[in-house]
Amino acid sequence: MEEPRTEINADDVERRVGEEARDVTPERAQRFYDRVRKSIQDYIDSKSGVLGKTAEFLMLVPDVFILLWRLTTDRRVSGKDKVLLGSALAYFILPFDLIPEAIVGPIGYLDDLVFGVYVLNKMLNHTDVEVIREHWSGKHDVLDMIRQVLGAADTLVDGSVLGRLKKMVRRGERPSRPQSPGVPPGD
């Protein structure tokens, strides 16, 4: 007899994310970063250039993850933003999410990337961009990266997944000062 399948919804993911966010230690963050970078690089290499621009976005995944983690340890980041950051970190680390890596492989990190970038974009309302730049280890300016990912989000993940990710970020949202000029909103 086949077991009934249960639907994973955004509320379930958000609940698990909150539970897992507390368990991200520096060692676990570094191990995850190293494992994901290697996994993505091996995947890209195996596709022999077929991925095109998607490969560039995939290579941002470990850098965005480590940026999120570094920001959680910075005392200049508000408690509210640290809760969002913790949620994004847990979303990266959880074995299941809206596009599970265990099922689709490294391409499944694209929803993690989009969610992480939505969180970073939201943080721009409360956190000096220089704090974010200080922790960024990617090749290009972090604001340019945020703009690029936000601009491509609807091509990186399915529209229904995109809507769920936006909803997860909005749940903690309250009116605040406008976002930095030139950075499109998460919606």
Side-chain angles (χ1 to χ4, degrees), residues 10 88 115 118:
F115 183 61
Y118 278 160

Side-chain angles (χ1 to χ4, degrees), residues 73-135:
T73 65
D74 192 306
R75 62 181 174 75
R76 297 169 291 180
V77 175
S78 74
K80 178 183 172 187
D81 282 341
K82 286 183 180 184
V83 168
L84 271 176
L85 289 164
S87 295
L89 285 172
Y91 191 85
F92 270 83
I93 291 173
L94 280 172
F96 78 96
D97 53 35
L98 297 176
I99 305 176
E101 297 78 39
I103 295 173
V104 299
I107 207 80
Y109 286 115
L110 290 174
D111 66 319
D112 302 45
L113 173 67
V114 171
F115 183 61
V117 168
Y118 278 160
V119 166
L120 290 169
N121 191 51
K122 183 172 174 56
M123 280 186 62
L124 290 171
N125 288 324
H126 315 105
T127 305
D128 184 341
V129 70
E130 292 309 315
V131 172
I132 297 171
R133 281 187 174 121
E134 180 181 316
H135 294 292

